[in-house]
Amino acid sequence: MSWSRDDMVRRAAAELRDGQVVNLGIGMPTLVANFVPPGVRVTLHSENGILGMGPFPYEDELDPQVINAGKQTVTIEPGGSVFDSALSFAMIRGGHVHLAILGGLEVSVAGDLANWAVPGKMVTGMGGAMDLAAGARRVVVLQTHVAKEGAAKLVQTLSLPVTALACVDRVITDLGVFDPAGDHFICVERAPFVSDAAIVASTGAPVRFG
């Protein structure tokens, strides 16, 4: 039985460590904020210029000028701050973001990431994925194991435009948790009742099971 979307997000939240500055990419990674483990306090960063981003607002808290990088209205925690994009990207490039959890289209055995463009398809509102992938101290990718068309998203080499090379530390999919290991993936955790054979059949590169 593969993990549900909430299961995947909850598993990704288990990667959070107390005291970290964390950037959550748009889409499914944004939901990680809803599953922060008890006793773990993190500071959420948004590359459009927020440090100390809070949860989504209730109707009476809505401020259209307070948005995250995905252009969703958010709140700011007490003690949080806002600043311009130049400072925000300086924080990323300076290694001050401990963990980035990003969406992915493909990840290779070498830890290369593709997550920003599909040739022939319109992509709007691109954020700071390239900077985050290259600048965050640890990068976790949260994605489905295969694409809608059934193509493997864990691959030997990327076929889509590259976001950054050798940047991914861990991939969490609906089938399990995988670490790129140079010429193969290591499956460090499986979703319940998912067989080795099912993982191998859905992966476009060699897999070893830890």
Side-chain angles (χ1 to χ4, degrees):
M1 181 176 67
S2 59
W3 278 331
S4 68
R5 184 180 173 91
D6 277 356
D7 292 334
M8 294 168 61
V9 174
R10 187 177 292 104
R11 178 59 187 83
E15 298 290 320
L16 303 175
R17 299 292 179 267
D18 193 46
Q20 286 184 325
V21 173
V22 179
N23 187 292
L24 302 176
I26 62 174
M28 192 160 42
T30 302
L31 302 176
V32 172
N34 297 331
F35 294 92
V36 177
V40 174
R41 184 171 177 83
V42 296
T43 301
L44 297 180
H45 169 269
S46 183
E47 62 266 31
N48 63 321
I50 302 175
L51 185 64
M53 185 170 58
F56 293 119
Y58 293 106
E59 190 171 350
D60 61 351
E61 298 175 323
L62 278 171
D63 183 341
Q65 296 190 73
V66 181
I67 58 173
N68 64 14
K71 301 181 178 55
Q72 299 167 303
T73 53
V74 294
T75 58
I76 299 174
E77 296 277 17
S81 58
V82 296
F83 34 82
D84 63 20
S85 294
L87 181 56
S88 183
F89 280 82
M91 292 173 62
I92 298 169
R93 294 170 187 175
H96 302 291
V97 173
H98 299 103
L99 172 67
I101 301 179
L102 305 174
L105 298 171
E106 286 182 339
V107 177
S108 80
V109 290
D112 305 331
L113 171 64
N115 77 345
W116 69 279
V118 177
K121 292 187 177 180
M122 179 70 75
V123 176
T124 60
M126 285 183 291
M130 293 178 183
D131 290 83
L132 286 164
R137 297 185 195 178
R138 178 172 170 80
V139 174
V140 172
V141 172
L142 182 60
Q143 63 176 30
T144 56
H145 204 89
V146 299
K148 290 181 180 176
E149 301 79 11
K153 296 172 74 171
L154 297 182
V155 296
Q156 187 75 36
T157 57
L158 300 182
S159 64
L160 297 174
V162 175
T163 300
L165 298 174
C167 62
V168 178
D169 297 287
R170 174 157 287 183
V171 187
I172 297 170
T173 79
D174 45 327
L175 299 188
V177 181
F178 303 86
D179 291 347
D183 60 356
H184 64 280
F185 288 98
I186 300 173
C187 176
V188 297
E189 186 176 337
R190 278 176 290 190
F193 308 113
V194 172
S195 68
D196 292 2
I199 290 173
V200 169
S202 303
T203 305
V207 183
R208 297 179 186 172
F209 295 88

